[in-house]
Amino acid sequence: MNIAETYGGELHAALRSRRTIAPLISRDPSLTIDDAYAISLDFLARRLRDGERVVGKKIGVTSKAVQDMLGVFQPDFGFLTDAMFIDGDIDIAATGLIQPRAEAEIAFILKDRLTGPGITAAQVLAATAHIAPCFEIVDSRIDDW
């Protein structure tokens, strides 16, 4: 097994069993951003095999203040699956989350597909049908997150 399969499998098992694991970077300090995205894609592939489907994408850590707080230097990107999307009221205690935190967000509801790299702000605006306020319930499978 490669790094992505090993850690993607661990994260998937932690998600399904509602437990946390030690931070990957503390166990393998040589991990790179490319490794992290490969792990993320493996984790997503496992969720898709479980029957979930991608319904959106997520950009996080977009402000310099949050980047400084987390010790990162660029936004991160991820996927939103149908199992992660809830329209309306949510009973946090019943969701099966491990370490939930709420964040106010802005959702861009797209009318046209965007493909990159090199997408401009003008292209994003042209592809946007509307925006909506939303809350992201952030969760983590990492110990002491």
Side-chain angles (χ1 to χ4, degrees):
M1 250 193 266
N2 64 34
I3 288 173
E5 292 169 335
T6 298
Y7 290 138
E10 283 186 35
L11 289 166
H12 183 258
L15 172 71
R16 296 300 179 225
S17 64
R18 294 182 64 196
R19 64 177 173 79
T20 60
I21 61 175
L24 304 183
I25 197 73
S26 71
R27 295 164 40 201
D28 187 347
S30 69
L31 288 173
T32 66
I33 289 174
D34 289 339
D35 292 330
Y37 280 113
I39 293 164
S40 176
L41 289 173
D42 181 87
F43 181 45
L44 174 65
R46 292 168 191 273
R47 293 181 79 148
L48 296 177
R49 285 195 297 270
D50 287 346
E52 295 180 40
R53 61 186 177 81
V54 173
V55 297
K57 302 213 175 144
K58 167 79 172 115
I59 302 171
V61 195
T62 57
S63 76
K64 178 150 177 32
V66 173
Q67 290 174 7
D68 290 346
M69 179 181 73
L70 297 175
V72 297
F73 306 103
Q74 65 188 36
D76 61 17
F77 305 89
F79 298 91
L80 175 68
T81 72
D82 58 332
M84 302 160 79
F85 178 81
I86 298 170
D87 189 11
D89 295 342
I90 180 172
D91 179 353
I92 295 293
T95 61
L97 299 175
I98 302 166
Q99 305 176 80
R101 309 281 191 275
E103 296 179 356
E105 300 287 351
I106 299 171
F108 285 72
I109 313 304
L110 300 181
K111 61 183 177 186
D112 297 314
R113 188 173 189 83
L114 291 168
T115 56
I119 296 170
T120 66
Q123 289 171 311
V124 171
L125 291 175
T128 300
H130 59 277
I131 61 171
C134 64
F135 284 98
E136 177 183 8
I137 308 299
V138 184
D139 194 25
S140 179
R141 279 132 315 273
I142 302 300
D143 291 341
D144 302 318
W145 172 65

